[in-house]
Amino acid sequence: VQLQASGGGLVQAGGSLRLSCEASGRTIRWYTMSWFRQAPGKEREFVGQITGAGSTSYSDSVKGRFTVSRDNAKNTVYLQMNNPKPEDTAVYYCAAGVPIRDPPGYDYWGQGTLVTVSS
């Protein structure tokens, strides 16, 4: 599975931004698809995920503001970022794997897309 993340950029705090993760090579229909992020000098952290059955879960820091969704027909997963805050600034990665929150549990990773939130 090859994953291509896109949609990052500069956004004002309180605005909105949607990231996309398009997969190729095989269907991601049955994978849990997760978003992680890594800020400078920090470890990669879990943001949110959607299972093959459509169940979602989020980190406490983004719950209620970010939404993960998937379009299996397009083999694409999305991260809708509403009301972003400056502390959400990071490189965002999509990953395909099993429904856990630890990066080592994921076999496939996108290349990352930078999101910068200005105050």
Side-chain angles (χ1 to χ4, degrees):
V1 177
Q2 291 79 46
L3 302 176
Q4 180 74 35
S6 63
L10 178 65
V11 61
Q12 282 194 327
S16 63
L17 193 68
R18 189 177 79 160
L19 307 183
S20 299
C21 176
E22 183 175 5
S24 60
R26 74 172 69 167
T27 180
I28 56 170
R29 177 184 298 269
W30 309 116
Y31 285 96
T32 288
M33 298 299 297
S34 292
W35 289 93
F36 292 84
R37 67 187 181 187
Q38 188 165 17
K42 295 188 176 182
E43 293 186 351
R44 192 167 298 189
E45 65 173 359
F46 171 80
V47 174
Q49 69 183 201
I50 185 166
T51 68
S55 298
T56 57
S57 64
Y58 302 92
S59 67
D60 289 342
S61 62
V62 308
K63 194 177 298 182
R65 299 187 298 120
F66 292 6
T67 302
V68 181
S69 62
R70 67 194 305 159
D71 185 336
N72 289 329
K74 294 183 178 180
N75 223 26
T76 300
V77 177
Y78 304 97
L79 178 67
Q80 178 68 42
M81 305 172 63
N82 293 332
N83 190 26
K85 304 175 182 180
E87 52 263 42
D88 295 320
T89 294
V91 176
Y92 283 72
Y93 299 89
C94 58
V98 296
I100 63 174
R101 299 187 175 194
D102 297 322
Y106 289 79
D107 295 327
Y108 307 104
W109 290 86
Q111 83 288 2
T113 185
L114 176 63
V115 173
T116 303
V117 184
S118 63
S119 57

